[in-house]
């Protein structure tokens, strides 16, 4: 009897999850279906749900309008370097804030923490001015450099480093290790897990970055993936070309989905750790 | 180091402290330099610019000062007031719907024993996919003439709606997109919170004869309070800064019905080249975010006392 009700509960859960899960998945399904349609099918009334004859050539033709290789390269270079910068600065600053005593430490920490509340819109006009003065518009530097320090990363690493016992550092100092060596040989290896979580989080976040690239990039050759997709709207402004927009979207989304599915465990760990 | 060993202990300690201070400074310096240039300076500069008339092209320092005029004028700008109201409605909707939905999903994900990884994956997909790409897809889904949503409504015997083309529904459409995109992320956070609650609590409650509903309100919800606080604050902060779906799907339209502060600040700055006015609006946005965050913290703290 009890076993029966447990099965009933699981069945009910599966039905519910199936329903909501379908709603979550529907945009992806719709994107893939539409990317294989012909222009006539896109604007057909009543709607054509499944393309009669899948148009795989959409996936070839899109390359002439959307320089996917270039877009991917720009996005990868930008995101990897930003993530690397965030890891380096957060790791060192987090360690210093957790393990050294100096005057103003708490104040500094609270100040850094409070910057997490600052909306990007409060910063981006002067940031653009700076980048322009440095001559960094339409460059990787302009995309990367303003992003390589985050209060969030420093906060995370400080919290993590606070859990490392002081005795470990004392012992190393008695053995005559310099502070630099302590950081490189003791702290850094211990931080590995937290850095992995932060890295994943930063990568996902900046891979999707749109507003800042929109501000600093005006040349098509420097477009990142989100900017490239956005510009696709101008190339295919007619309704009947919506299939090509879906094809472009699919080509931007599918690789990241594959990476995500392969690394799902780490993503979830990264998110929960950073929360 | 060898030299230090011959010195009296007092001096040695002092020297060590000195070297610690230097090390701390060196470890902090990259972060501090970047903070100064890319946070502190822009923050101060935005406040400065909000009192100037600057079009981005001329030298910023020589821009004529206008005092608080921008702060007065924005309230006479109907577009700003409309954007402000829309922002509030949008933030409220996100706060009202996102946490309960995410908690509901997290609860289901926590209870289900059949392919749990698959369900988790499904809800998490929107979080890791390109916002621009999915905004394009949603634009198509909401299309009143050719989109599948209206087709589904018709199939159910309901009236098709204007969605993103309808001034009364454009904001609603964007709220739907935001919920779709954000639920997975916050559900994962709630899921971690749920898994942190020891089973003993529930077992004890079962022995005392508590039903599922009572258990939820008297054990689950109170113990999830820290998680909820984080979720509420993050949802609000992010909602205030929403940009991409608004820019791609409706671009604020039709007739400003889905214009929000972030989008209007962007347009004022980089389309209309009115940096002073945009800065003033940004400062207002900043104040709002701080006020709402502080209010939420207080509210949660007060409820703690019960």
């Amino acid at each position: 009897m009890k076993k029966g009700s447990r099965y009933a509960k699981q069945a009910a859960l599966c039905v519910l999850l199936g329903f909501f899960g379908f709603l979550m998945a529907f945009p992806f399904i719709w994107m893939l279906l539409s990317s294989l349609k012909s222009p006539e099918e896109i604007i057909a009334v009543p709607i054509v749900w499944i393309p009669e004859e899948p148009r795989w050539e959409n996936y070839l033709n899109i390359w002439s309008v959307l320089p996917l290789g270039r877009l991917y390269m720009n996005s990868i270079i930008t995101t990897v370097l930003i993530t690397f910068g965030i890891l380096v600065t957060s790791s060192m600053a987090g360690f210093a804030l957790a393990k050294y005593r100096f005057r103003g430490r708490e104040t500094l920490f609270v100040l850094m923490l409070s910057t997490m509340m600052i909306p990007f819109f409060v910063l981006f006009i002067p940031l653009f001015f700076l980048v322009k003065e440095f001559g960094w518009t339409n460059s990787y530097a302009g995309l990367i450099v303003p992003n390589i320090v985050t209060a969030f990363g420093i906060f995370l690493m400080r919290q993590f480093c606070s859990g490392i016992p002081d005795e470990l550092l004392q012992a190393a100092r008695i053995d005559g290790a310099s502070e630099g060596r302590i950081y490189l040989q003791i702290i850094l290896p211990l931080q590995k897990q937290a850095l992995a979580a932060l890295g994943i989080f930063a990568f996902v976040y900046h891979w999707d970055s749109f507003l800042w690239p929109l501000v600093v990039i005006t040349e098509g050759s420097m477009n990142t993936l989100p900017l490239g997709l956005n510009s696709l709207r101008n190339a295919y402004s007619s309704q009947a070309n919506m299939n090509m927009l879906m094809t472009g979207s699919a080509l931007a989304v599918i690789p990241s989905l594959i990476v995500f599915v392969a690394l799902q465990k780490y993503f979830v760990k990264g998110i929960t750790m950073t929360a | 180091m060898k030299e230090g060993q011959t010195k009296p202990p007092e001096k040695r300690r002092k020297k060590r402290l000195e070297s610690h201070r230097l090390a701390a400074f060196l470890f902090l310096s990259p972060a501090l330099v970047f903070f100064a240039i890319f946070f502190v300076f822009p923050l101060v500069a935005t406040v400065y610019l909000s009192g100037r008339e600057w079009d981005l092209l001329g030298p910023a320092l020589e821009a004529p000062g206008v005092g608080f005029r921008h702060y007065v004028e924005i309230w006479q700008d109907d577009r700003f007031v409309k954007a402000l109201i829309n922002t509030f409605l949008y933030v409220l909707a996100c706060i009202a719907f996102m946490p309960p939905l995410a908690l509901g999903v997290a609860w289901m994900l926590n209870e289900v024993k059949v392919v749990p990884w698959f369900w988790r994956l499904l809800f998490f997909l929107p979080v890791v996919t390109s916002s621009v790409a999915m905004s394009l897809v949603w634009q198509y889904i909401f299309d009143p003439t050719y989109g599948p949503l209206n087709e589904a409504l018709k199939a159910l015997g309901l009236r098709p709606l204007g969605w993103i083309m309808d001034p009364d529904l454009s904001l609603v459409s964007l709220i739907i997109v935001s919920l779709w995109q954000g639920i997975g992320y916050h559900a994962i956070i709630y899921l971690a919170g749920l898994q942190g609650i020891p089973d003993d609590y529930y077992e004890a409650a079962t022995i005392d004869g508590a039903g599922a509903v009572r258990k939820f309100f008297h054990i689950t919800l109170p113990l999830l309070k820290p998680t909820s606080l984080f979720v509420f604050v993050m949802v609000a902060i992010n909602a205030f800064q929403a940009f991409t779906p608004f820019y791609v799907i409706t671009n604020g339209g039709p007739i400003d019905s889905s214009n929000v502060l972030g989008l209007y600040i962007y347009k004022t700055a980089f389309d209309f080249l009115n940096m002073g006015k945009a800065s003033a609006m940004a400062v207002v946005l900043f104040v709002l975010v701080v006020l709402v965050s502080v209010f939420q913290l207080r509210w949660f703290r007060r409820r703690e006392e019960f």
Side-chain angles (χ1 to χ4, degrees):
Chain A
M1 191 64 208
K2 196 141 188 250
K3 211 172 181 184
S5 81
R6 211 180 296 155
Y7 282 133
K9 185 184 168 190
Q10 286 299 321
L13 272 171
C14 284
V15 171
L16 264 176
L17 280 169
F19 174 73
F20 285 112
F22 175 73
L23 292 184
M24 296 308 278
F26 179 75
F28 294 102
I29 300 167
W30 186 247
M31 173 182 77
L32 293 176
L33 286 175
S34 305
S35 71
L36 296 171
K37 285 182 194 166
S38 66
E40 295 79 36
E41 286 171 318
I42 284 283
I43 51 166
V45 181
I47 207 162
V48 176
W49 291 98
I50 293 165
E52 191 117 326
E53 213 173 288
R55 285 230 181 176
W56 297 104
E57 62 263 36
N58 285 355
Y59 280 85
L60 292 176
N61 296 340
I62 191 89
W63 289 75
S64 63
V65 187
L66 198 66
L68 275 155
R70 181 83 207 186
L71 296 177
Y72 264 103
M73 192 183 82
N74 289 343
S75 267
I76 288 172
I77 290 175
T78 310
T79 316
V80 166
L81 289 180
I82 289 177
T83 306
F84 182 72
I86 288 177
L87 290 182
V88 171
T89 55
S90 304
S91 157
M92 296 202 309
F95 166 52
L97 285 171
K99 286 295 161 210
Y100 290 102
R101 315 184 131 270
F102 52 90
R103 217 188 300 150
R105 183 179 77 161
E106 296 309 311
T107 324
L108 192 65
F109 179 60
V110 171
L111 273 180
M112 281 191 172
L113 203 59
S114 57
T115 60
M116 284 199 317
M117 258 198 274
I118 299 177
F120 186 63
F121 294 99
V122 187
L123 307 173
F124 79 146
I125 294 169
L127 273 181
F128 178 71
F129 167 77
L130 273 183
V131 163
K132 217 178 86 179
E133 287 295 300
F134 295 160
W136 286 352
T137 46
N138 288 313
S139 75
Y140 290 123
L143 288 170
I144 295 164
V145 179
N147 284 311
I148 63 173
V149 174
T150 66
F152 176 70
I154 295 172
F155 170 70
L156 185 76
M157 293 318 293
R158 191 201 94 123
Q159 296 310 87
F160 184 80
C161 287
S162 301
I164 298 173
D166 281 327
E167 288 77 19
L168 220 56
L169 310 187
Q170 300 302 5
R173 279 179 195 135
I174 289 166
D175 289 346
S178 69
E179 299 304 310
R181 261 189 68 172
I182 290 178
Y183 169 70
L184 284 175
Q185 295 193 337
I186 299 176
I187 300 297
L188 210 51
L190 286 173
Q191 282 180 340
K192 233 192 264 165
Q193 253 207 331
L195 285 176
L198 176 62
I200 286 168
F201 189 84
F203 192 92
V204 171
Y205 183 85
H206 286 284
W207 182 258
D208 198 29
S209 175
F210 181 60
L211 176 57
W212 180 241
L214 189 66
V215 172
V216 279
I217 302 298
T218 51
E219 261 168 43
S221 66
M222 282 308 294
N223 273 356
T224 58
L225 209 47
L227 287 182
L229 283 176
N230 181 49
S231 70
L232 206 55
R233 292 193 299 163
N234 304 325
Y236 292 119
S237 51
S238 114
Q239 291 277 30
N241 278 326
M242 225 129 47
N243 55 348
M244 298 314 277
L245 288 185
M246 296 303 107
T247 308
S249 299
L251 281 171
V253 164
I254 293 168
S256 57
L257 282 192
I258 293 171
V259 172
F260 169 63
V261 171
L263 299 175
Q264 197 210 161
K265 217 170 67 188
Y266 301 96
F267 273 92
V268 171
K269 213 188 234 167
I271 298 298
T272 48
M273 233 175 132
T274 44
Chain B
M1 274 297 127
K2 257 180 192 153
E3 219 181 312
Q5 275 160 4
T6 58
K7 282 177 184 165
E10 193 53 28
K11 245 185 183 163
R12 219 165 64 201
R13 231 180 72 201
K14 211 168 175 190
K15 198 173 168 201
R16 193 186 290 161
L17 259 175
E18 209 52 36
S19 86
H20 282 190
R21 210 167 284 157
L22 181 71
F25 177 73
L26 286 177
F27 284 132
L28 272 171
S29 52
L32 287 179
V33 168
F34 281 96
F35 250 118
I37 302 176
F38 298 112
F39 274 94
V40 181
F41 166 75
L43 192 62
V44 176
T46 296
V47 177
Y48 167 83
L49 281 174
S50 71
R52 306 266 142 179
E53 200 69 73
W54 185 45
D55 61 358
L56 191 65
L57 303 172
L61 281 174
E62 286 157 35
V66 293
F68 288 96
R69 211 178 70 204
H70 288 307
Y71 288 98
V72 178
E73 277 177 357
I74 51 174
W75 300 102
Q76 289 148 10
D77 176 5
D78 292 340
R79 298 192 71 189
F80 170 77
V81 176
K82 180 80 181 153
L84 191 65
I85 295 169
N86 285 340
T87 306
F88 261 114
L89 292 174
Y90 174 73
V91 170
L92 274 179
C94 285
I95 293 178
F97 295 119
M98 188 85 85
L101 284 171
L103 180 56
V105 169
W107 180 81
M108 290 195 285
L109 290 177
N110 197 30
E111 296 288 317
V112 74
K113 298 286 183 298
V114 188
V115 286
W117 60 270
F118 170 74
W119 303 115
R120 218 179 301 159
L121 184 77
L122 215 50
F123 284 93
F124 206 60
L125 282 183
V127 182
V128 289
T129 45
S130 161
S131 306
V132 176
M134 294 327 281
S135 294
L136 292 174
V137 176
W138 275 102
Q139 195 176 29
Y140 185 10
I141 291 176
F142 281 128
D143 192 294
T145 325
Y146 309 114
L149 184 56
N150 269 349
E151 202 69 24
L153 288 182
K154 276 187 253 171
L156 292 170
L158 298 166
R159 201 163 47 92
L161 300 165
W163 298 112
I164 50 174
M165 305 289 185
D166 180 346
D168 291 330
L169 286 178
S170 56
L171 199 57
V172 175
S173 311
L174 283 157
I175 290 166
I176 293 173
V177 176
S178 305
L179 291 175
W180 173 81
Q181 213 168 21
I183 278 177
Y185 173 76
H186 297 103
I188 295 292
I189 294 172
Y190 267 127
L191 186 59
L194 283 175
Q195 284 166 349
I197 300 175
D199 284 335
D200 322 4
Y201 288 26
Y202 292 113
E203 278 159 24
T206 312
I207 291 166
D208 289 345
V213 177
R214 276 194 65 164
K215 272 191 255 180
F216 179 78
F217 281 102
H218 286 95
I219 300 175
T220 315
L221 221 45
L223 285 174
L224 280 180
K225 204 176 258 175
T227 315
S228 294
L229 174 65
F230 176 83
V231 169
F232 273 89
V233 173
M234 288 315 286
V235 165
I237 290 181
N238 289 332
F240 269 114
Q241 304 194 58
F243 180 78
T244 307
F246 287 84
Y247 179 87
V248 175
I249 297 178
T250 63
N251 200 18
I255 46 168
D256 276 346
S257 59
S258 62
N259 202 14
V260 283
L261 274 183
L263 187 61
Y264 194 43
I265 293 171
Y266 170 81
K267 283 184 182 174
T268 308
F270 294 102
D271 289 346
F272 314 144
L273 298 182
N274 195 340
M275 297 297 152
K277 186 179 169 191
S279 299
M281 295 195 289
V283 172
V284 172
L285 175 68
F286 181 32
V287 172
L288 282 178
V289 171
V290 172
L291 283 181
V292 169
S293 303
V294 170
F295 175 78
Q296 284 181 319
L297 284 171
R298 281 259 174 92
W299 191 69
F300 267 87
R301 212 163 279 156
R302 184 166 315 152
R303 306 240 313 186
E304 206 109 296
E305 285 157 18
F306 278 92

